[in-house]
Amino acid sequence: MRTIAVYPGSFDPPTVGHLDIIDRSSRVYSRVIVAVARNIRKNVWFTPAERMAMLRKLTRTYTNVEIDSFRGLLVDYARDKGAHVVMRGLRAISDFEYEFQMAHMNKKLASEVDTVFMMTGERYSYISSNIVKEIASFGGKIDDLVPPLVKKEVLKKIEKRRKA
Ligand code: ADP
């Protein structure tokens, strides 16, 4: 069976933790759609186009991974794409409550779509996009947290924000 999985998130910016989930999902599902959320209330640094461009470069070598974006309800997007799986990563117990609520709500909205959780890679459990932005804005090293091309974009953004 060809199963399509959607991996949604803000990816602001993509981290090595996200890439680990993408890599592992690409071995499990025949097609993985990484979907950048356009309507997020979080403090975002990168436009959807910038986040998608970074993800595209980072996943160039995967033939079954594609990058897209969505607005509105995730389950409507998943349905539209013919995806029966929503992929999420779990880092800590603190992720659990929100994810639990979302998974149940999404199941209620679209019973044919299942949420599948992948446990974070051991080395990545403490990494989040917010931590990356916080450390970088105080001049800390983010080399182990993001790929080199993302590091470059984060530093550029900090420079721009400083000048603004
Ligand atoms: P964040 O929560 O860091 O702002 P996103 O909203 O972009 O990140 O997260 C998208 C998905 O990726 C979520 O399911 C989140 O739990 C997962 N994720 C984020 N960082 C990691 C990580 N370091 N390891 C595993 N999964 C992660």
Side-chain angles (χ1 to χ4, degrees), residues 144-156:
D144 293 340
L145 314 180
V146 293
L149 82 88
V150 174
K151 177 185 168 188
K152 221 169 99 190
E153 294 304 319
V154 169
L155 297 183
K156 260 205 265 175

PDB file of all heavy atoms in Angstrom, residues 144-156:
ATOM      1  N   ASP A 144      25.522  22.696  16.353  1.00  0.00           N
ATOM      2  CA  ASP A 144      25.031  21.325  16.527  1.00  0.00           C
ATOM      3  C   ASP A 144      23.515  21.237  16.397  1.00  0.00           C
ATOM      4  O   ASP A 144      22.951  20.148  16.440  1.00  0.00           O
ATOM      5  CB  ASP A 144      25.413  20.793  17.916  1.00  0.00           C
ATOM      6  CG  ASP A 144      26.915  20.631  18.042  1.00  0.00           C
ATOM      7  OD1 ASP A 144      27.592  20.560  16.992  1.00  0.00           O
ATOM      8  OD2 ASP A 144      27.405  20.600  19.179  1.00  0.00           O
ATOM      9  N   LEU A 145      22.860  22.378  16.297  1.00  0.00           N
ATOM     10  CA  LEU A 145      21.395  22.385  16.333  1.00  0.00           C
ATOM     11  C   LEU A 145      20.742  22.483  14.958  1.00  0.00           C
ATOM     12  O   LEU A 145      19.613  22.032  14.770  1.00  0.00           O
ATOM     13  CB  LEU A 145      20.890  23.564  17.196  1.00  0.00           C
ATOM     14  CG  LEU A 145      21.578  23.777  18.553  1.00  0.00           C
ATOM     15  CD1 LEU A 145      20.960  24.963  19.279  1.00  0.00           C
ATOM     16  CD2 LEU A 145      21.443  22.528  19.410  1.00  0.00           C
ATOM     17  N   VAL A 146      21.458  23.121  14.031  1.00  0.00           N
ATOM     18  CA  VAL A 146      20.898  23.307  12.679  1.00  0.00           C
ATOM     19  C   VAL A 146      21.968  22.998  11.621  1.00  0.00           C
ATOM     20  O   VAL A 146      23.160  23.127  11.899  1.00  0.00           O
ATOM     21  CB  VAL A 146      20.398  24.769  12.470  1.00  0.00           C
ATOM     22  CG1 VAL A 146      19.202  25.099  13.343  1.00  0.00           C
ATOM     23  CG2 VAL A 146      21.514  25.781  12.692  1.00  0.00           C
ATOM     24  N   PRO A 147      21.543  22.646  10.411  1.00  0.00           N
ATOM     25  CA  PRO A 147      22.528  22.435   9.337  1.00  0.00           C
ATOM     26  C   PRO A 147      23.195  23.769   8.967  1.00  0.00           C
ATOM     27  O   PRO A 147      22.600  24.837   9.218  1.00  0.00           O
ATOM     28  CB  PRO A 147      21.681  21.927   8.174  1.00  0.00           C
ATOM     29  CG  PRO A 147      20.363  21.566   8.743  1.00  0.00           C
ATOM     30  CD  PRO A 147      20.168  22.364   9.977  1.00  0.00           C
ATOM     31  N   PRO A 148      24.404  23.719   8.365  1.00  0.00           N
ATOM     32  CA  PRO A 148      25.142  24.950   8.052  1.00  0.00           C
ATOM     33  C   PRO A 148      24.327  25.978   7.256  1.00  0.00           C
ATOM     34  O   PRO A 148      24.407  27.169   7.533  1.00  0.00           O
ATOM     35  CB  PRO A 148      26.327  24.442   7.228  1.00  0.00           C
ATOM     36  CG  PRO A 148      26.506  23.025   7.667  1.00  0.00           C
ATOM     37  CD  PRO A 148      25.159  22.504   8.042  1.00  0.00           C
ATOM     38  N   LEU A 149      23.528  25.538   6.299  1.00  0.00           N
ATOM     39  CA  LEU A 149      22.790  26.533   5.488  1.00  0.00           C
ATOM     40  C   LEU A 149      21.736  27.264   6.318  1.00  0.00           C
ATOM     41  O   LEU A 149      21.441  28.434   6.072  1.00  0.00           O
ATOM     42  CB  LEU A 149      22.207  25.911   4.211  1.00  0.00           C
ATOM     43  CG  LEU A 149      20.900  25.129   4.193  1.00  0.00           C
ATOM     44  CD1 LEU A 149      19.701  26.025   3.992  1.00  0.00           C
ATOM     45  CD2 LEU A 149      20.944  24.113   3.076  1.00  0.00           C
ATOM     46  N   VAL A 150      21.186  26.571   7.313  1.00  0.00           N
ATOM     47  CA  VAL A 150      20.198  27.220   8.187  1.00  0.00           C
ATOM     48  C   VAL A 150      20.912  28.195   9.127  1.00  0.00           C
ATOM     49  O   VAL A 150      20.440  29.308   9.362  1.00  0.00           O
ATOM     50  CB  VAL A 150      19.389  26.177   8.994  1.00  0.00           C
ATOM     51  CG1 VAL A 150      18.473  26.841  10.009  1.00  0.00           C
ATOM     52  CG2 VAL A 150      18.588  25.279   8.055  1.00  0.00           C
ATOM     53  N   LYS A 151      22.082  27.785   9.593  1.00  0.00           N
ATOM     54  CA  LYS A 151      22.863  28.667  10.469  1.00  0.00           C
ATOM     55  C   LYS A 151      23.113  30.003   9.744  1.00  0.00           C
ATOM     56  O   LYS A 151      22.940  31.083  10.318  1.00  0.00           O
ATOM     57  CB  LYS A 151      24.191  27.997  10.827  1.00  0.00           C
ATOM     58  CG  LYS A 151      25.090  28.882  11.668  1.00  0.00           C
ATOM     59  CD  LYS A 151      26.438  28.245  11.917  1.00  0.00           C
ATOM     60  CE  LYS A 151      27.407  29.269  12.490  1.00  0.00           C
ATOM     61  NZ  LYS A 151      28.763  28.766  12.587  1.00  0.00           N
ATOM     62  N   LYS A 152      23.495  29.909   8.481  1.00  0.00           N
ATOM     63  CA  LYS A 152      23.773  31.105   7.689  1.00  0.00           C
ATOM     64  C   LYS A 152      22.540  32.013   7.617  1.00  0.00           C
ATOM     65  O   LYS A 152      22.629  33.232   7.798  1.00  0.00           O
ATOM     66  CB  LYS A 152      24.177  30.663   6.268  1.00  0.00           C
ATOM     67  CG  LYS A 152      25.322  31.473   5.701  1.00  0.00           C
ATOM     68  CD  LYS A 152      25.869  30.856   4.444  1.00  0.00           C
ATOM     69  CE  LYS A 152      25.312  31.532   3.226  1.00  0.00           C
ATOM     70  NZ  LYS A 152      25.615  30.835   1.982  1.00  0.00           N
ATOM     71  N   GLU A 153      21.396  31.411   7.384  1.00  0.00           N
ATOM     72  CA  GLU A 153      20.152  32.191   7.261  1.00  0.00           C
ATOM     73  C   GLU A 153      19.758  32.813   8.607  1.00  0.00           C
ATOM     74  O   GLU A 153      19.268  33.935   8.648  1.00  0.00           O
ATOM     75  CB  GLU A 153      18.997  31.303   6.746  1.00  0.00           C
ATOM     76  CG  GLU A 153      19.183  30.794   5.330  1.00  0.00           C
ATOM     77  CD  GLU A 153      19.397  31.910   4.307  1.00  0.00           C
ATOM     78  OE1 GLU A 153      18.706  32.945   4.396  1.00  0.00           O
ATOM     79  OE2 GLU A 153      20.262  31.752   3.426  1.00  0.00           O
ATOM     80  N   VAL A 154      19.979  32.075   9.688  1.00  0.00           N
ATOM     81  CA  VAL A 154      19.639  32.592  11.017  1.00  0.00           C
ATOM     82  C   VAL A 154      20.526  33.800  11.335  1.00  0.00           C
ATOM     83  O   VAL A 154      20.045  34.847  11.788  1.00  0.00           O
ATOM     84  CB  VAL A 154      19.805  31.489  12.103  1.00  0.00           C
ATOM     85  CG1 VAL A 154      19.726  32.069  13.513  1.00  0.00           C
ATOM     86  CG2 VAL A 154      18.751  30.406  11.926  1.00  0.00           C
ATOM     87  N   LEU A 155      21.821  33.674  11.042  1.00  0.00           N
ATOM     88  CA  LEU A 155      22.742  34.786  11.331  1.00  0.00           C
ATOM     89  C   LEU A 155      22.413  36.007  10.467  1.00  0.00           C
ATOM     90  O   LEU A 155      22.472  37.148  10.939  1.00  0.00           O
ATOM     91  CB  LEU A 155      24.198  34.348  11.140  1.00  0.00           C
ATOM     92  CG  LEU A 155      24.662  33.226  12.094  1.00  0.00           C
ATOM     93  CD1 LEU A 155      26.138  32.900  11.875  1.00  0.00           C
ATOM     94  CD2 LEU A 155      24.413  33.577  13.566  1.00  0.00           C
ATOM     95  N   LYS A 156      22.017  35.747   9.221  1.00  0.00           N
ATOM     96  CA  LYS A 156      21.615  36.856   8.332  1.00  0.00           C
ATOM     97  C   LYS A 156      20.406  37.572   8.907  1.00  0.00           C
ATOM     98  O   LYS A 156      20.314  38.797   8.890  1.00  0.00           O
ATOM     99  CB  LYS A 156      21.245  36.285   6.946  1.00  0.00           C
ATOM    100  CG  LYS A 156      22.347  36.414   5.902  1.00  0.00           C
ATOM    101  CD  LYS A 156      21.765  36.430   4.510  1.00  0.00           C
ATOM    102  CE  LYS A 156      21.748  35.105   3.844  1.00  0.00           C
ATOM    103  NZ  LYS A 156      21.182  34.857   2.604  1.00  0.00           N
TER     104      LYS A 156
END
